[in-house]
């Protein structure tokens, strides 16, 4: 994403955002601003929003909320975070009796954009800040993205929840975390911006009745405690678990639910200092006896600025109360979750993972391996064991190698019995956990249990989830490094796989095909390719066999096509893993692709990803190259900084599609149809982009340096 210092943009900070929200005069205005600035919704998405799209959920024992953002086709595009007080405001706006399918805003996206402009005008006058006049819904979404990153939300989670599919400064699409993982990251971050209640704003936070109804729909048993530790509410699942009626426990101390008042001494201290406690507790049943269950208590705000509450989540997980192993595993996982928030590099994430887990009571030592190299399991990070010992930990090395590879391939956690070599600790049970995110496997975490124990399914579930969290942290570190690095890893691949449009068409038509450019659109990428040595009719027919295509220009000796065929493009699997395509040329049934990655990228994983889609592919060359500040002109850099994502995409599509040529290679209507936007929207983006280009060209005054930060656009 490009730096944010453009003269025609407004960089909203929290203070400006609060002033903007304070200037809203109606419920609708306030809600529209907040849905864009705190949930990341676009005006189009808001017009699709229905009353039933807001959800209440549990995350690590705490109540949180999310929006199922509709995709316009009856499905869900993504999950967006919904702060508690914003959920209350949305609920109050649609009304308690609203049907789940009732639209929230029965207006057009353009009307909502105009609404934002009206509020911006009032805010500029009230705050004596002329810059606020230029605030748009895109500026509000950029604020959502920047503020989330500053609060500690991983970049990948922000991209996924905001609906962004690429990091603009490197012109690449990235794989999103899954919906649940992405929205859960917001629950672990620092609190969102607090806005003052407007004259039409909700009072008193979430309605208690609405909260009770929401909790009663959950399968997990939930108990809500007041600031004094007494029970305010318990849901129906709690009644099923203990046989005790809700009205019989409300008002009593939480400790009275535990057999013989056996609440651990560190329970309240941990909740007060760390915000959460987890472990196994024996809950007294209505009849004699007790039932032991995995418990997590989290301190959460009440959504109205008042005293905090504690939400206790009780799950049906088996545990061994004699060894306390489940408690030890939970403590290690909690400690690692807190540590990961402070790590921003790949090495830091790996070292933190091994150190925290080896320091706890559940595991003797921990290390991370890359299972791909055939020469053995050289550790990427170790703790509690020397690297040389970890490398030769077991006598039957091949068993560990094979198990690690299987874990990486199928993404499942495995437990294997081993016979350690003499220098290794006597821990005959190893747990192998994939560090996986999306399609990328960053390695395998090897955990050596402290003693001979039976690893229960509950522990496997916990460490598998931990592996996904570490994998997400590693992906975020790689994306961050690629954004900031002065060097890039340049890889050259070749392919003769007939599944590729470039390979098959160049062989069949005896022609040369070259990728001119790619343009991000709502459903993926548009490819602009030049075909030389074949007739326009032949080239178009071949492209349409792989997907949608249209003829842009017949240049006599070459044909320019616009193609939407992601499954048939060699570039797609590499773009999905953070690649920036530099060139792609195919001739005589052979394609050569040059792509840039972060210096930390694992070449073997990238090659395997390409071969998974196109088996007949190979790596030709790799080299590291310095990013040169002079690699492009100062003019191009300044222009690139001026454009929003949408403006850049529309401008690039117009350029490649011959819109600016005479006669034109494509009409505005054809371009708009290809990008799945309306013709007025296309013209709007084009006019704004052209204005910024001309401003950069003719502006004689020195331009300010771009501010540091992340540019988030709609």
């Amino acid at each position: 994403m490009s730096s944010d210092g453009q003269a025609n943009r407004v960089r909203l900070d929290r203070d400006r955002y609060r002033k903007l929200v304070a200037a809203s005069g109606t419920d609708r205005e306030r809600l529209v601003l907040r849905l864009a600035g705190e949930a990341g919704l676009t005006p189009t998405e808001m017009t699709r929003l229905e009353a039933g799209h807001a959800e209440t959920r549990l995350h690590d024992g705490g109540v949180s909320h999310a929006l199922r953002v509709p995709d316009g086709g009856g499905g869900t595009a993504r999950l967006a975070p919904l702060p508690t007080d914003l959920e209350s405001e949305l609920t109050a706006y649609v009304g308690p009796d609203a049907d789940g399918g009732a639209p929230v805003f029965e207006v057009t996206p353009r009307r909502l954009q105009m609404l934002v402009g009206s509020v911006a005008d009032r805010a500029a006058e009230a705050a004596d800040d002329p810059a606020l006049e230029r605030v748009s819904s895109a500026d509000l979404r950029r604020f959502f993205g920047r503020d989330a990153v500053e609060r500690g939300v991983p970049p990948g989670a922000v991209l996924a929840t905001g609906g962004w599919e690429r990091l603009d400064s490197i012109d690449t699409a990235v794989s999103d975390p899954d919906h649940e993982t992405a929205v859960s990251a917001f629950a672990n971050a620092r609190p969102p911006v607090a806005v003052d209640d407007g004259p039409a704003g909700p009072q008193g936070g979430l309605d208690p009745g609405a909260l009770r109804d929401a909790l009663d729909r959950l399968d997990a048993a939930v108990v809500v405690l007041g600031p004094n530790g007494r029970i305010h509410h318990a849901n129906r699942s709690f009644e099923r678990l203990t046989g005790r009626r809700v009205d019989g426990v409300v008002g009593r101390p939480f400790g009275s639910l535990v057999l013989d008042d056996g609440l651990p001494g560190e329970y309240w201290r941990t909740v007060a200092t760390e915000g959460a406690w987890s472990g196994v507790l024996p809950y007294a049943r209505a009849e004699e006896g007790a039932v032991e269950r995995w418990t997590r208590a989290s301190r959460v705000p009440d959504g109205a600025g008042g005293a905090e509450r504690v939400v206790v989540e009780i799950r049906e997980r088996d545990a061994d109360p004699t060894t306390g192993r489940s408690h030890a595993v939970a403590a290690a996982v909690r400690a690692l979750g807190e540590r990961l928030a402070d790590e921003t590099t790949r090495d830091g994430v790996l070292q933190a993972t091994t150190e925290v887990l080896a320091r706890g009571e559940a595991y003797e030592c921990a290390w991370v391996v890359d299972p791909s190299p055939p020469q053995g399991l050289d550790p990427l990070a170790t703790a509690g064991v020397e690297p040389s010992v970890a490398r030769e930990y077991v006598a039957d090395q091949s068993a560990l190698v094979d198990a690690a590879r299987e874990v990486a391939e199928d993404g499942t956690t495995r437990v294997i019995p081993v016979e350690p070599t003499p220098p290794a600790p006597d821990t005959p049970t190893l747990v192998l956990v994939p560090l996986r995110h999306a399609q990328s496997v960053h390695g395998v975490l090897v955990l050596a249990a402290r003693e001979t124990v039976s690893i229960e399914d509950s522990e496997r579930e916990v460490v598998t989830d931990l592996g996904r969290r570490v994998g997400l942290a590693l992906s975020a570190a790689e994306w961050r490094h690629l954004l900031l690095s002065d060097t890039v890893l340049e890889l050259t691949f070749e392919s003769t796989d007939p599944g590729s449009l470039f390979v098959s068409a160049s062989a069949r038509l005896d022609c040369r095909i070259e990728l001119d450019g790619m343009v991000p659109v709502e459903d993926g990428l548009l490819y602009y390719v030049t075909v030389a040595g074949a007739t326009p009719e032949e080239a178009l027919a071949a492209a349409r066999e792989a997907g949608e295509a249209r003829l842009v220009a017949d240049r006599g000796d070459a044909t320019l096509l616009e193609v939407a065929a992601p499954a048939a493009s060699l570039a797609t699997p590499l773009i999905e893993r953070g690649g920036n395509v530099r060139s792609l040329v195919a001739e005589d049934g052979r394609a050569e692709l040059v792509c840039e990655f972060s210096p930390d990228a694992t070449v073997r994983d990238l090659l395997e990803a390409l071969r998974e889609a196109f088996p007949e592919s190979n790596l030709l060359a790799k080299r590291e190259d310095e990013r040169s500040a002079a690699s492009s002109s100062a003019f191009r850099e300044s222009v690139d900084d001026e454009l929003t994502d949408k403006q850049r995409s529309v401008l690039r599509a117009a350029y490649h599609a011959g819109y600016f040529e005479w006669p034109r290679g494509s009409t505005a209507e054809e371009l708009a149809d290809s990008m799945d936007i309306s013709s007025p929207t296309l013209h709007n983006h084009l006019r704004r982009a052209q204005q910024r280009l001309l401003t950069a060209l003719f502006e004689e005054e020195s331009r300010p340096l771009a501010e540091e930060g992340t540019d988030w656009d709609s």
Side-chain angles (χ1 to χ4, degrees):
M1 296 181 183
S2 57
S3 299
D4 187 8
Q6 294 88 333
N8 290 322
R9 289 188 183 178
V10 182
R11 184 181 178 86
L12 289 175
D13 56 18
R14 286 192 165 197
D15 182 59
R16 270 181 164 171
Y17 177 72
R18 291 190 187 97
K19 292 176 180 177
L20 194 67
V21 175
S24 57
T26 65
D27 291 354
R28 174 183 288 180
E29 290 177 347
R30 179 182 170 89
L31 188 57
V32 167
L33 293 174
R34 297 195 66 192
L35 287 173
E38 296 171 56
L41 269 62
T42 68
T44 298
E45 290 167 343
M46 291 184 209
T47 61
R48 297 170 180 166
L49 200 61
E50 296 176 357
H53 287 152
E55 295 184 347
T56 300
R57 57 188 54 221
L58 286 179
H59 175 76
D60 291 340
V63 175
S64 62
H65 307 278
L67 270 177
R68 289 199 170 274
V69 182
D71 60 8
T76 298
R78 64 183 189 279
L79 287 179
L82 191 62
T84 300
D85 60 332
L86 180 53
E87 193 276 342
S88 300
E89 195 163 320
L90 176 60
T91 300
Y93 181 82
V94 299
D97 300 324
D99 180 79
V104 176
F105 304 107
E106 296 186 87
V107 295
T108 64
R110 176 59 180 160
R111 183 69 188 91
L112 297 183
Q113 291 171 335
M114 294 172 61
L115 179 150
V116 173
S118 299
V119 177
D121 290 340
R122 294 198 299 270
E125 183 177 356
D128 193 21
D129 184 354
L132 287 175
E133 293 180 354
R134 302 195 306 273
V135 170
S136 66
S137 57
D139 293 314
L140 289 165
R141 278 178 33 87
R142 280 191 288 272
F143 168 77
F144 161 76
R146 284 195 304 268
D147 187 68
V149 170
E150 290 169 1
R151 292 194 285 119
V153 180
V158 179
L159 289 170
T161 55
W164 293 287
E165 296 185 353
R166 67 194 187 99
L167 301 171
D168 182 60
S169 64
I170 56 173
D171 191 24
T172 180
V174 297
S175 298
D176 293 337
D178 64 82
H179 293 334
E180 296 291 344
T181 300
V183 79
S184 293
F186 282 76
N188 289 328
R190 293 187 293 277
V193 61
V195 295
D196 296 331
D197 282 338
Q203 304 293 325
L206 184 64
D207 175 65
L211 176 59
R212 285 194 296 270
D213 291 342
L215 294 181
D216 284 343
R217 290 194 294 269
L218 296 172
D219 291 332
V222 178
V223 179
V224 181
L225 312 179
N228 59 1
R230 293 184 177 272
I231 300 168
H232 276 201
H233 177 67
N235 69 350
R236 298 187 186 279
S237 292
F238 171 81
E239 290 185 338
R240 291 194 295 270
L241 176 73
T242 64
R244 303 173 69 172
R245 291 178 55 83
V246 170
D247 55 11
V249 299
V250 169
R252 301 182 63 182
F254 175 67
S256 66
L257 300 182
V258 181
L259 186 67
D260 299 328
D261 286 328
L263 201 61
E266 82 276 7
Y267 175 88
W268 286 115
R269 182 175 63 254
T270 304
V271 171
T273 57
E274 300 182 15
W277 177 92
S278 59
V280 177
L281 293 177
Y283 291 92
R285 295 185 59 83
E287 63 274 11
E288 290 187 3
V291 57
E292 291 177 336
R293 289 293 182 262
W294 182 279
T295 302
R296 181 170 179 85
S298 299
R299 190 177 71 242
V300 296
D302 73 346
E308 292 182 329
R309 300 177 184 273
V310 173
V311 176
V312 183
E313 178 185 2
I314 307 167
R315 293 187 178 181
E316 296 186 5
R317 284 180 172 175
D318 295 331
D320 185 350
T322 61
T323 64
R325 180 167 184 82
S326 294
H327 192 180
V329 172
V333 169
R334 184 174 66 250
L336 179 55
E338 296 168 354
R339 176 75 178 274
L340 287 178
D342 299 326
E343 300 298 336
T344 59
T345 66
R346 175 180 172 82
D347 289 344
V349 171
L350 292 175
Q351 199 59 45
T353 299
T354 55
E355 286 178 358
V356 172
L357 295 175
R359 190 186 304 135
E361 299 178 1
Y363 305 106
E364 179 73 26
C365 54
W367 67 97
V368 178
V369 298
D370 179 355
S372 299
Q375 63 270 24
L377 294 176
D378 291 333
L380 304 177
T382 64
V385 62
E386 292 296 323
S388 59
V389 176
R391 188 181 300 111
E392 305 294 338
Y393 193 88
V394 296
D396 185 6
Q397 184 75 0
S398 62
L400 183 56
V401 171
D402 292 342
R405 287 177 178 164
E406 291 172 359
V407 166
E409 289 174 1
D410 59 27
T412 59
T413 295
R414 298 198 180 190
V415 178
I416 61 172
V418 297
E419 295 182 5
T421 57
D426 186 17
T427 53
T429 302
L430 295 183
V431 184
L432 277 61
V433 185
L435 304 181
R436 188 182 186 97
H437 173 247
Q439 301 300 318
S440 298
V441 178
H442 297 280
V444 172
L445 173 65
V446 183
L447 300 170
R450 283 193 177 276
E451 52 195 9
T452 302
V453 294
S454 175
I455 305 299
E456 302 293 337
D457 289 343
S458 59
E459 182 172 339
R460 294 187 193 217
E461 180 183 345
V462 170
V463 295
T464 298
D465 180 67
L466 178 65
R468 288 192 290 266
R469 291 167 60 186
V470 174
L472 176 60
L474 289 168
S475 290
E478 289 183 354
W479 298 339
R480 185 181 294 107
H481 185 65
L482 185 52
L483 279 171
L484 303 177
S485 177
D486 290 330
T487 63
V488 293
L489 177 64
E490 183 181 280
L491 302 178
T492 302
F493 300 93
E494 73 165 355
S495 181
T496 56
D497 196 292
S500 162
L501 166 64
F502 292 85
V503 172
S504 61
S506 67
R508 178 152 43 97
L509 301 180
D510 190 21
C511 64
R512 173 186 170 90
I513 304 177
E514 183 171 359
L515 178 66
D516 285 358
M518 297 178 294
V519 178
V521 292
E522 194 71 24
D523 297 327
L525 292 168
L526 285 179
Y527 296 85
Y528 289 91
V529 297
T530 296
V531 182
T535 66
E537 293 77 15
E538 291 173 334
L540 186 60
R544 284 178 172 168
E545 289 179 7
E548 296 181 7
R550 72 180 180 92
L551 177 66
V552 174
D554 179 0
R555 295 170 176 167
D557 58 346
T559 301
L560 177 63
L561 300 178
E562 177 189 86
V563 184
S569 169
L570 288 169
T572 300
L574 299 174
I575 290 173
E576 289 176 346
R577 286 156 181 82
N580 178 34
V581 176
R582 303 300 301 169
S583 66
L584 176 54
V585 178
E587 201 165 5
D588 298 327
R590 175 185 173 275
E592 185 170 298
L593 170 65
V594 180
C595 207
E596 290 179 347
F597 296 89
S598 161
D600 293 337
T602 305
V603 177
R604 185 176 299 274
D605 288 347
L606 296 171
L607 180 57
E608 288 180 355
L610 180 60
R611 284 177 171 171
E612 185 176 350
F614 303 98
E616 298 176 29
S617 302
N618 294 292
L619 177 68
L620 288 184
K622 83 170 181 177
R623 70 185 184 96
E624 284 199 5
D625 193 19
E626 294 288 330
R627 287 190 193 269
S628 172
S631 61
S632 56
S633 67
F635 171 72
R636 177 174 177 176
E637 291 177 356
S638 66
V639 167
D640 195 58
D641 282 345
E642 291 291 343
L643 300 175
T644 68
D645 284 351
K646 291 291 188 183
Q647 291 165 2
R648 187 179 295 104
S649 294
V650 168
L651 199 61
R652 184 181 287 121
Y655 172 77
H656 287 299
Y659 178 78
F660 298 113
E661 296 176 3
W662 185 260
R664 284 179 172 168
S666 299
T667 66
E669 288 71 21
E670 288 172 329
L671 272 178
D673 185 60
S674 296
M675 302 189 73
D676 195 24
I677 58 178
S678 67
S679 183
T681 298
L682 180 114
H683 280 294
N684 178 53
H685 286 310
L686 272 180
R687 283 197 299 271
R688 290 178 181 271
Q690 288 171 312
Q691 175 62 38
R692 292 183 176 187
L693 283 174
L694 295 174
T695 299
L697 179 63
F698 295 119
E699 181 64 63
E700 295 180 357
E701 298 178 0
S702 60
R703 308 178 69 81
L705 292 176
E707 304 172 42
E708 292 184 358
T710 306
D711 173 28
W712 307 91
D713 200 3
S714 59

